[in-house]
Amino acid sequence: GRNLVVLVDASASMQATDVGPSRLGAAKAEVKRLVRGLGGADRMLLAQMDATVTPLGPMSGDTAELERALDGIEPTDTRADFPRALRFATDVLRGLDHAEIVVVSDGALGPPEDASGPVPLGGARLAFVKVGAEARNIGLTQFAVRRYPLDRARYEVMLEITNPGPDVADVELSLLGDGQLVDLTKLRLQPGERLPRFYPSLSGASRTLEARIAPLAGTRDDLAADNVAYALLPERRRTKVLVVTEGNMYLEAALLLDEYLDVVQVKPAGYLAALAGGRFDAVIFDGVTPAEMAKVPALYLDPRGSGPPLKVGAELAAPGFDKVDRKHPLVRFLALEDVNIARGHRLELGPGDRAVGLSESAPILVAGVRSGVRFAALGFDVRESDLPLRVAWPLLLLNTLHWFTDEDSDYLSSFRTGEVWRVPVGSGVARATVKGPGGEELVPVLEGRASLRGRRAGFYELTTAAQGGEGPVTVGFAANLLDPEETAIAPLDRLEVGGQPAGEVGSFEVGVRREIWIYLLLAVALLTALEWATYHRRVTV
């Protein structure tokens, strides 16, 4: 008998409706025909192939069991990991006679190789069952959104629409903020065109944003899974900041520019009492360096002495920003090279510290982490420079506070389906529950991050268990397909692995299975009937 592993493609492109009821529905019908045509000594294992490979049961010759397993295959909004599925199949079939791998797919699987190189078939025969007929589709292949640093009520959107089909496509693009229509545009795409769109300075959404495309009359779109994209805007919560200063009008004025900053100002003598009496997201020390480092992120303006988090070195005469680390979030959108400074101090770097700004070889703007807490330090008094007269001054403060609270422009507005998502949930959390388009499930939490592999696009809510007398915390995030390879749904006629073309599946005819116990049972029944007839006719009496 044969030993078969059947890989059923359940990736996003298999949701296409160019064949009825869908490509996945047609694939399941083909597999059911194979199951019902198994010989008496044949054994089969069914596996769902998407971003992972999921065996649906053991190797079995029980047709009823295999058909029940087949019914459990559901489509996902991911691409298929063909190399992973092939390695699984070859592992299952290793050492078995008459081994055969059957791939049921539209063929858009990518090259059969991974980081370890091409996947060998190990002597197994390869067969391919093609599903699909057409190539007409339009889809969203890029979508991102971010708020403006100085006006969190406004945001900008970047997206891309792809038409991999052979015909001109007319579509209607809708942007929805919190479920309400924000923008509506009609677009025309040429065959094979990838059309980027940028929307600056939008408003009307506080939390959720969706992009939807709909084909207009005369345009055919056979795949709906890539017609919607989702994004979650950073939450517009107030950042509570403690400012420890003897008085600095430049600092106070700059912090007034952001309406989402809740600023509390104290004298250095009242710093400890203020910090103990309230929960703050960040502290700004203006010309003050306490004996003990704050347990919340802190910005040190003109630090003095040798207290933590870093030592202050020699005085610098007329320093300037000769070198700036443009990749660091502190200096995003800033021009510091022409800032004039009367005097400052060299900052001594500690282990892991990063010199964001240097005057020749002397660090004057430093960022780092101490005991898991972020800090930044500026090595001069801003009142002894022209920095407060520039737009770079409030931007530097806001960039620093955004970096402290993880609200910078690197915010991830959505995850990609098929990847492992690691969602920050905070330290001390043992378990979490995630609720999304596919239902609700428990997910593991390790080192403050919940880990799960998403298979469906949409909005998600992750809820952590209550900790330390506090109630449960809910974190929202979004997920999208955004895969040009899945949007290109043209089926392939040929599948090849390692130079070996896949053949056709044969010898699967629905009929009486050739199992010996059936014939033995029929023989016993026939002998019993003959004995009964001869006995009652007094032949054998």
Side-chain angles (χ1 to χ4, degrees), residues 201-231:
S201 193
L202 292 177
S203 61
S206 62
R207 190 62 174 145
T208 66
L209 195 71
E210 298 178 50
R212 296 178 177 271
I213 56 174
L216 298 177
T219 298
R220 181 171 171 179
D221 183 10
D222 289 326
L223 181 62
D226 57 1
N227 288 356
V228 186
Y230 309 87

mmCIF file of all heavy atoms in Angstrom, residues 201-231:
data_model
loop_
_atom_site.group_PDB
_atom_site.id
_atom_site.type_symbol
_atom_site.label_atom_id
_atom_site.label_comp_id
_atom_site.label_asym_id
_atom_site.label_seq_id
_atom_site.Cartn_x
_atom_site.Cartn_y
_atom_site.Cartn_z
ATOM 1 N N SER A 201 -2.093 64.958 7.039
ATOM 2 C CA SER A 201 -2.923 65.837 7.873
ATOM 3 C C SER A 201 -4.408 65.476 7.836
ATOM 4 O O SER A 201 -5.264 66.300 7.538
ATOM 5 C CB SER A 201 -2.737 67.298 7.429
ATOM 6 O OG SER A 201 -3.278 68.179 8.378
ATOM 7 N N LEU A 202 -4.718 64.221 8.134
ATOM 8 C CA LEU A 202 -6.107 63.799 8.261
ATOM 9 C C LEU A 202 -6.573 63.945 9.712
ATOM 10 O O LEU A 202 -5.762 63.969 10.643
ATOM 11 C CB LEU A 202 -6.264 62.339 7.834
ATOM 12 C CG LEU A 202 -6.065 62.020 6.351
ATOM 13 C CD1 LEU A 202 -6.173 60.525 6.122
ATOM 14 C CD2 LEU A 202 -7.087 62.753 5.485
ATOM 15 N N SER A 203 -7.864 64.025 9.904
ATOM 16 C CA SER A 203 -8.449 64.067 11.242
ATOM 17 C C SER A 203 -9.769 63.302 11.204
ATOM 18 O O SER A 203 -10.235 62.891 10.143
ATOM 19 C CB SER A 203 -8.664 65.513 11.704
ATOM 20 O OG SER A 203 -9.565 66.184 10.837
ATOM 21 N N GLY A 204 -10.350 63.116 12.366
ATOM 22 C CA GLY A 204 -11.641 62.442 12.416
ATOM 23 C C GLY A 204 -11.578 61.037 12.955
ATOM 24 O O GLY A 204 -12.571 60.321 12.922
ATOM 25 N N ALA A 205 -10.411 60.607 13.440
ATOM 26 C CA ALA A 205 -10.279 59.278 14.047
ATOM 27 C C ALA A 205 -9.477 59.412 15.326
ATOM 28 O O ALA A 205 -8.446 60.092 15.353
ATOM 29 C CB ALA A 205 -9.588 58.305 13.095
ATOM 30 N N SER A 206 -9.945 58.775 16.366
ATOM 31 C CA SER A 206 -9.221 58.820 17.631
ATOM 32 C C SER A 206 -8.503 57.519 17.934
ATOM 33 O O SER A 206 -7.512 57.511 18.654
ATOM 34 C CB SER A 206 -10.181 59.153 18.778
ATOM 35 O OG SER A 206 -11.176 58.144 18.903
ATOM 36 N N ARG A 207 -8.994 56.394 17.380
ATOM 37 C CA ARG A 207 -8.373 55.113 17.738
ATOM 38 C C ARG A 207 -8.211 54.158 16.552
ATOM 39 O O ARG A 207 -7.129 53.687 16.296
ATOM 40 C CB ARG A 207 -9.208 54.446 18.841
ATOM 41 C CG ARG A 207 -8.565 53.238 19.472
ATOM 42 C CD ARG A 207 -7.277 53.578 20.158
ATOM 43 N NE ARG A 207 -6.710 52.464 20.890
ATOM 44 C CZ ARG A 207 -5.426 52.237 21.007
ATOM 45 N NH1 ARG A 207 -4.559 53.046 20.435
ATOM 46 N NH2 ARG A 207 -4.957 51.220 21.713
ATOM 47 N N THR A 208 -9.281 53.858 15.818
ATOM 48 C CA THR A 208 -9.199 52.859 14.752
ATOM 49 C C THR A 208 -9.275 53.511 13.380
ATOM 50 O O THR A 208 -9.938 54.536 13.194
ATOM 51 C CB THR A 208 -10.323 51.816 14.867
ATOM 52 O OG1 THR A 208 -11.593 52.442 14.634
ATOM 53 C CG2 THR A 208 -10.323 51.169 16.243
ATOM 54 N N LEU A 209 -8.589 52.889 12.423
ATOM 55 C CA LEU A 209 -8.620 53.362 11.048
ATOM 56 C C LEU A 209 -8.682 52.154 10.129
ATOM 57 O O LEU A 209 -7.987 51.158 10.353
ATOM 58 C CB LEU A 209 -7.382 54.201 10.736
ATOM 59 C CG LEU A 209 -7.457 55.055 9.469
ATOM 60 C CD1 LEU A 209 -8.422 56.205 9.667
ATOM 61 C CD2 LEU A 209 -6.086 55.602 9.111
ATOM 62 N N GLU A 210 -9.524 52.229 9.099
ATOM 63 C CA GLU A 210 -9.671 51.146 8.133
ATOM 64 C C GLU A 210 -9.571 51.711 6.723
ATOM 65 O O GLU A 210 -10.025 52.821 6.456
ATOM 66 C CB GLU A 210 -11.018 50.432 8.291
ATOM 67 C CG GLU A 210 -11.233 49.751 9.626
ATOM 68 C CD GLU A 210 -12.616 49.128 9.705
ATOM 69 O OE1 GLU A 210 -12.983 48.392 8.767
ATOM 70 O OE2 GLU A 210 -13.337 49.399 10.680
ATOM 71 N N ALA A 211 -8.979 50.928 5.838
ATOM 72 C CA ALA A 211 -8.973 51.237 4.404
ATOM 73 C C ALA A 211 -9.714 50.119 3.697
ATOM 74 O O ALA A 211 -9.440 48.942 3.934
ATOM 75 C CB ALA A 211 -7.556 51.365 3.885
ATOM 76 N N ARG A 212 -10.643 50.460 2.826
ATOM 77 C CA ARG A 212 -11.445 49.471 2.101
ATOM 78 C C ARG A 212 -11.459 49.831 0.622
ATOM 79 O O ARG A 212 -11.595 51.002 0.260
ATOM 80 C CB ARG A 212 -12.877 49.421 2.635
ATOM 81 C CG ARG A 212 -12.985 48.963 4.086
ATOM 82 C CD ARG A 212 -14.431 48.975 4.568
ATOM 83 N NE ARG A 212 -14.557 48.483 5.923
ATOM 84 C CZ ARG A 212 -14.747 47.211 6.246
ATOM 85 N NH1 ARG A 212 -14.880 46.305 5.271
ATOM 86 N NH2 ARG A 212 -14.835 46.816 7.501
ATOM 87 N N ILE A 213 -11.328 48.816 -0.221
ATOM 88 C CA ILE A 213 -11.475 49.024 -1.654
ATOM 89 C C ILE A 213 -12.638 48.161 -2.147
ATOM 90 O O ILE A 213 -12.847 47.044 -1.669
ATOM 91 C CB ILE A 213 -10.190 48.689 -2.435
ATOM 92 C CG1 ILE A 213 -9.723 47.259 -2.156
ATOM 93 C CG2 ILE A 213 -9.091 49.677 -2.118
ATOM 94 C CD1 ILE A 213 -8.538 46.834 -3.013
ATOM 95 N N ALA A 214 -13.386 48.716 -3.090
ATOM 96 C CA ALA A 214 -14.526 48.012 -3.675
ATOM 97 C C ALA A 214 -14.451 48.161 -5.188
ATOM 98 O O ALA A 214 -14.264 49.285 -5.696
ATOM 99 C CB ALA A 214 -15.842 48.582 -3.147
ATOM 100 N N PRO A 215 -14.571 47.063 -5.936
ATOM 101 C CA PRO A 215 -14.530 47.171 -7.401
ATOM 102 C C PRO A 215 -15.766 47.871 -7.931
ATOM 103 O O PRO A 215 -16.879 47.652 -7.439
ATOM 104 C CB PRO A 215 -14.463 45.709 -7.850
ATOM 105 C CG PRO A 215 -15.079 44.932 -6.731
ATOM 106 C CD PRO A 215 -14.751 45.676 -5.474
ATOM 107 N N LEU A 216 -15.565 48.719 -8.928
ATOM 108 C CA LEU A 216 -16.679 49.391 -9.574
ATOM 109 C C LEU A 216 -17.182 48.553 -10.737
ATOM 110 O O LEU A 216 -16.604 47.516 -11.077
ATOM 111 C CB LEU A 216 -16.240 50.778 -10.047
ATOM 112 C CG LEU A 216 -15.798 51.742 -8.928
ATOM 113 C CD1 LEU A 216 -15.311 53.043 -9.537
ATOM 114 C CD2 LEU A 216 -16.948 51.993 -7.954
ATOM 115 N N ALA A 217 -18.271 49.000 -11.354
ATOM 116 C CA ALA A 217 -18.888 48.241 -12.438
ATOM 117 C C ALA A 217 -17.877 47.980 -13.552
ATOM 118 O O ALA A 217 -17.131 48.872 -13.963
ATOM 119 C CB ALA A 217 -20.083 49.021 -12.994
ATOM 120 N N GLY A 218 -17.830 46.730 -14.007
ATOM 121 C CA GLY A 218 -16.921 46.342 -15.064
ATOM 122 C C GLY A 218 -15.603 45.796 -14.577
ATOM 123 O O GLY A 218 -14.780 45.352 -15.380
ATOM 124 N N THR A 219 -15.365 45.838 -13.265
ATOM 125 C CA THR A 219 -14.118 45.324 -12.680
ATOM 126 C C THR A 219 -14.423 44.080 -11.869
ATOM 127 O O THR A 219 -15.355 44.066 -11.062
ATOM 128 C CB THR A 219 -13.458 46.384 -11.778
ATOM 129 O OG1 THR A 219 -13.113 47.515 -12.574
ATOM 130 C CG2 THR A 219 -12.216 45.832 -11.106
ATOM 131 N N ARG A 220 -13.642 43.048 -12.094
ATOM 132 C CA ARG A 220 -13.847 41.783 -11.389
ATOM 133 C C ARG A 220 -12.767 41.609 -10.321
ATOM 134 O O ARG A 220 -11.582 41.807 -10.581
ATOM 135 C CB ARG A 220 -13.797 40.610 -12.368
ATOM 136 C CG ARG A 220 -14.016 39.250 -11.710
ATOM 137 C CD ARG A 220 -14.170 38.168 -12.748
ATOM 138 N NE ARG A 220 -14.179 36.833 -12.151
ATOM 139 C CZ ARG A 220 -14.325 35.722 -12.837
ATOM 140 N NH1 ARG A 220 -14.505 35.782 -14.156
ATOM 141 N NH2 ARG A 220 -14.314 34.550 -12.228
ATOM 142 N N ASP A 221 -13.203 41.242 -9.127
ATOM 143 C CA ASP A 221 -12.291 41.036 -7.997
ATOM 144 C C ASP A 221 -12.665 39.717 -7.342
ATOM 145 O O ASP A 221 -13.698 39.611 -6.673
ATOM 146 C CB ASP A 221 -12.412 42.198 -7.014
ATOM 147 C CG ASP A 221 -11.445 42.091 -5.850
ATOM 148 O OD1 ASP A 221 -10.559 41.228 -5.911
ATOM 149 O OD2 ASP A 221 -11.582 42.861 -4.884
ATOM 150 N N ASP A 222 -11.822 38.695 -7.517
ATOM 151 C CA ASP A 222 -12.162 37.350 -7.047
ATOM 152 C C ASP A 222 -11.681 37.045 -5.631
ATOM 153 O O ASP A 222 -11.954 35.964 -5.117
ATOM 154 C CB ASP A 222 -11.578 36.297 -8.000
ATOM 155 C CG ASP A 222 -12.308 36.274 -9.336
ATOM 156 O OD1 ASP A 222 -13.529 36.519 -9.334
ATOM 157 O OD2 ASP A 222 -11.663 36.033 -10.372
ATOM 158 N N LEU A 223 -10.955 37.968 -5.006
ATOM 159 C CA LEU A 223 -10.452 37.725 -3.652
ATOM 160 C C LEU A 223 -10.798 38.906 -2.766
ATOM 161 O O LEU A 223 -10.306 40.021 -2.974
ATOM 162 C CB LEU A 223 -8.931 37.505 -3.682
ATOM 163 C CG LEU A 223 -8.265 37.208 -2.333
ATOM 164 C CD1 LEU A 223 -8.795 35.909 -1.737
ATOM 165 C CD2 LEU A 223 -6.752 37.150 -2.482
ATOM 166 N N ALA A 224 -11.633 38.671 -1.759
ATOM 167 C CA ALA A 224 -12.060 39.740 -0.855
ATOM 168 C C ALA A 224 -11.153 39.897 0.350
ATOM 169 O O ALA A 224 -11.201 40.915 1.035
ATOM 170 C CB ALA A 224 -13.495 39.479 -0.385
ATOM 171 N N ALA A 225 -10.297 38.912 0.631
ATOM 172 C CA ALA A 225 -9.495 38.924 1.851
ATOM 173 C C ALA A 225 -8.503 40.078 1.893
ATOM 174 O O ALA A 225 -8.118 40.523 2.978
ATOM 175 C CB ALA A 225 -8.747 37.594 2.002
ATOM 176 N N ASP A 226 -8.061 40.580 0.730
ATOM 177 C CA ASP A 226 -7.083 41.667 0.703
ATOM 178 C C ASP A 226 -7.709 43.012 0.368
ATOM 179 O O ASP A 226 -7.014 43.949 -0.020
ATOM 180 C CB ASP A 226 -5.957 41.353 -0.283
ATOM 181 C CG ASP A 226 -6.476 41.088 -1.698
ATOM 182 O OD1 ASP A 226 -7.704 41.165 -1.911
ATOM 183 O OD2 ASP A 226 -5.659 40.791 -2.587
ATOM 184 N N ASN A 227 -9.019 43.129 0.524
ATOM 185 C CA ASN A 227 -9.709 44.382 0.217
ATOM 186 C C ASN A 227 -9.854 45.305 1.420
ATOM 187 O O ASN A 227 -10.347 46.419 1.296
ATOM 188 C CB ASN A 227 -11.108 44.105 -0.350
ATOM 189 C CG ASN A 227 -11.058 43.548 -1.762
ATOM 190 O OD1 ASN A 227 -9.989 43.442 -2.348
ATOM 191 N ND2 ASN A 227 -12.197 43.179 -2.302
ATOM 192 N N VAL A 228 -9.449 44.844 2.601
ATOM 193 C CA VAL A 228 -9.574 45.631 3.824
ATOM 194 C C VAL A 228 -8.251 45.607 4.559
ATOM 195 O O VAL A 228 -7.585 44.567 4.635
ATOM 196 C CB VAL A 228 -10.693 45.086 4.740
ATOM 197 C CG1 VAL A 228 -10.903 46.011 5.942
ATOM 198 C CG2 VAL A 228 -11.992 44.914 3.980
ATOM 199 N N ALA A 229 -7.852 46.757 5.099
ATOM 200 C CA ALA A 229 -6.653 46.851 5.950
ATOM 201 C C ALA A 229 -7.019 47.630 7.201
ATOM 202 O O ALA A 229 -7.874 48.529 7.171
ATOM 203 C CB ALA A 229 -5.508 47.521 5.209
ATOM 204 N N TYR A 230 -6.377 47.281 8.300
ATOM 205 C CA TYR A 230 -6.718 47.831 9.601
ATOM 206 C C TYR A 230 -5.488 48.460 10.250
ATOM 207 O O TYR A 230 -4.361 48.011 10.053
ATOM 208 C CB TYR A 230 -7.245 46.733 10.533
ATOM 209 C CG TYR A 230 -8.359 45.890 9.949
ATOM 210 C CD1 TYR A 230 -8.071 44.764 9.179
ATOM 211 C CD2 TYR A 230 -9.692 46.220 10.158
ATOM 212 C CE1 TYR A 230 -9.080 43.982 8.657
ATOM 213 C CE2 TYR A 230 -10.707 45.448 9.624
ATOM 214 C CZ TYR A 230 -10.393 44.330 8.865
ATOM 215 O OH TYR A 230 -11.407 43.560 8.345
ATOM 216 N N ALA A 231 -5.722 49.509 11.031
ATOM 217 C CA ALA A 231 -4.638 50.127 11.799
ATOM 218 C C ALA A 231 -5.215 50.680 13.087
ATOM 219 O O ALA A 231 -6.389 51.054 13.160
ATOM 220 C CB ALA A 231 -3.959 51.235 11.005
#
